[in-house]
C-alpha cells in the first residue's frame, strides 16, 4: 500500500497538470502582489492604523479581482494535477497491470489519496507564497476591529482572527486544503460517467458554479465555495463546512463502490 501511494503521488506531483495549476495559481498571486502589495502607490498606513499582512494577502478580502478569480477557479486548480489520472488508467489498460500486482482496494486507495493531496497542494502552495511575499512588505500587526476587515461576529474563527491571526490563517489553509482535495476527487468520480476529458476536469468547477448561481438567484451567500473558502469573506458559517465535509465523504464512498465494480 505505502509503495503504491508513493508511486501515485510521484505521478501527480510531477505531472504537467500540477505544473499548470501552480503556474496559474502563482500568476494570479503575483498579479495581486504587483497591484495591491508592492505597488509604490500602496501605503503602509491608512487613516485608522498601520497596514498589516493580515489585511493584504490574497485571502484577506473578497474585493480584489485577483482574490475573487483565485477562489472562483479553485476547483479547476485542484482538479488539474490528478483529475485525469484515473480516467487515463481506465482507458489505457494501465489499471489492469496494477490489479495484477496489487489488490484492487489498495490501488483505489492510493489513487484517491494522491488525487486528494495533489489537489490540496495545488491550491495551498500559491496561498502560502502570497502570505510570505505580503509579509515581506507589511508587518504582522494584530488586526484591529476598527479596520472593518475579516469575519463578522457570527463567523467561524472571529475571535481567533483578532487574538491569534496566524492560527486563523492556518485554519483556513487547512480548510482550503481539504476542500481542494475533495474537488479533485469529484474528477475521479466523474471518470465513471463520461468519456470527455474536458468534462472530467471541469466537473468540480461546474458543481461549484451551480451553487454560486443558486446563491445569486436566491440572494444569499450560504453555499458558494468561492465565498466560504475565502478567509477574508465576512460571513462563514459552520454548517457550510459541515455540509461540504459530508459531500466529500459521499463522493469518496461512491468512488470506491464504483471502482470495485470495474473489471
Amino acid at each position: 500500500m505505502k509503495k503504491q501511494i508513493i508511486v501515485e503521488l510521484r505521478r501527480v506531483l510531477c505531472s504537467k497538470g500540477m505544473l499548470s495549476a501552480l503556474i496559474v495559481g502563482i500568476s494570479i498571486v503575483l498579479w495581486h502582489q504587483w497591484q495591491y502589495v508592492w505597488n509604490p502607490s500602496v501605503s503602509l498606513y491608512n487613516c485608522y492604523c498601520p497596514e498589516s499582512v493580515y489585511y493584504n494577502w490574497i485571502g484577506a478580502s473578497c474585493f480584489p479581482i485577483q482574490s475573487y478569480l483565485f477562489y472562483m477557479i479553485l476547483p479547476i486548480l485542484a482538479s488539474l494535477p490528478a483529475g485525469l489520472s484515473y480516467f487515463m488508467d481506465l482507458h489505457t489498460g494501465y489499471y489492469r497491470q496494477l490489479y495484477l500486482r496489487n489488490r484492487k482496494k489498495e490501488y483505489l486507495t492510493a489513487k484517491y489519496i494522491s488525487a486528494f493531496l495533489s489537489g490540496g497542494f495545488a491550491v495551498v502552495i500559491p496561498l502560502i507564497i502570497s502570505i510570505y511575499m505580503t509579509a515581506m512588505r507589511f508587518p504582522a500587526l494584530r488586526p484591529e476591529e476598527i479596520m472593518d476587515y475579516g469575519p463578522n461576529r457570527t463567523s467561524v474563527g472571529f475571535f481567533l482572527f483578532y487574538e491569534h491571526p496566524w492560527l486563523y490563517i492556518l485554519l483556513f489553509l487547512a480548510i482550503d486544503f481539504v476542500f481542494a482535495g475533495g474537488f479533485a476527487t469529484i474528477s475521479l468520480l466523474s471518470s465513471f460517467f463520461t468519456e470527455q476529458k474536458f468534462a472530467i476536469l471541469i466537473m468540480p468547477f461546474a458543481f461549484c458554479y451551480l451553487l454560486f448561481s443558486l446563491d445569486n438567484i436566491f440572494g444569499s451567500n450560504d453555499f458558494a465555495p468561492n465565498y466560504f473558502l475565502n478567509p477574508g469573506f465576512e460571513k462563514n458559517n459552520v454548517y457550510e463546512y459541515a455540509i461540504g465535509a459530508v459531500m466529500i465523504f459521499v463522493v469518496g464512498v461512491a468512488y470506491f463502490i464504483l471502482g470495485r465494480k470495474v473489471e
Side-chain angles (χ1 to χ4, degrees):
M1 170 74 78
K2 182 179 179 181
K3 184 178 180 180
Q4 185 63 41
I5 292 174
I6 293 174
V7 170
E8 292 296 331
L9 280 174
R10 285 177 178 174
R11 289 180 64 191
V12 296
L13 294 180
C14 300
S15 66
K16 293 181 180 179
M18 174 62 82
L19 179 61
S20 299
L22 291 179
I23 289 176
V24 173
I26 294 173
S27 296
I28 296 174
V29 166
L30 294 178
W31 178 20
H32 177 268
Q33 290 285 313
W34 173 77
Q35 185 171 358
Y36 291 100
V37 179
W38 291 97
N39 193 310
S41 64
V42 176
S43 175
L44 293 175
Y45 300 90
N46 57 60
C47 59
Y48 297 111
C49 58
E51 289 284 359
S52 169
V53 60
Y54 306 117
Y55 305 140
N56 291 281
W57 70 289
I58 198 170
S61 172
C62 292
F63 297 110
I65 182 61
Q66 298 88 348
S67 176
Y68 182 86
L69 177 62
F70 184 90
Y71 285 96
M72 178 61 78
I73 68 169
L74 185 151
I76 298 177
L77 299 179
S79 65
L80 281 175
L84 291 177
S85 62
Y86 187 57
F87 174 85
M88 296 304 297
D89 287 356
L90 291 176
H91 287 75
T92 61
Y94 178 73
Y95 78 100
R96 293 190 179 93
Q97 301 180 35
L98 298 177
Y99 279 6
L100 293 175
R101 300 175 184 177
N102 306 282
R103 290 186 300 175
K104 183 183 297 187
K105 181 180 178 181
E106 293 180 353
Y107 166 73
L108 293 172
T109 302
K111 184 66 67 176
Y112 184 89
I113 291 175
S114 64
F116 189 94
L117 293 179
S118 64
F121 285 129
V123 167
V124 169
I125 288 176
L127 294 178
I128 292 175
I129 291 175
S130 174
I131 296 169
Y132 179 79
M133 293 186 67
T134 307
M136 295 172 63
R137 167 74 167 162
F138 295 103
L141 299 177
R142 182 179 295 182
E144 300 285 349
E145 290 192 56
I146 193 174
M147 288 291 290
D148 198 27
Y149 289 155
N152 62 31
R153 291 183 177 274
T154 62
S155 295
V156 173
F158 169 77
F159 292 104
L160 199 62
F161 177 74
Y162 290 104
E163 295 296 328
H164 303 285
W166 279 118
L167 291 181
Y168 178 82
I169 290 178
L170 289 175
L171 170 65
F172 269 87
L173 287 179
I175 290 173
D176 289 351
F177 189 99
V178 170
F179 273 79
F183 293 145
T185 62
I186 292 177
S187 289
L188 292 184
L189 182 61
S190 301
S191 299
F192 298 110
F193 302 105
T194 180
E195 298 291 322
Q196 302 297 322
K197 296 180 181 180
F198 178 77
I200 292 173
L201 289 177
I202 208 69
M203 193 62 68
F205 173 78
F207 174 71
C208 292
Y209 194 79
L210 173 62
L211 297 178
F212 170 73
S213 300
L214 292 175
D215 268 357
N216 287 332
I217 292 173
F218 294 106
S220 66
N221 294 316
D222 292 332
F223 300 107
N226 58 299
Y227 288 138
F228 68 73
L229 293 182
N230 188 331
F233 187 60
E234 63 179 12
K235 185 180 179 182
N236 295 315
N237 300 306
V238 173
Y239 67 82
E240 295 171 327
Y241 306 113
I243 293 174
V246 170
M247 295 187 68
I248 291 173
F249 176 77
V250 171
V251 169
V253 170
Y255 160 76
F256 281 100
I257 291 175
L258 294 176
R260 289 182 178 182
K261 295 181 180 180
V262 176
E263 297 297 337

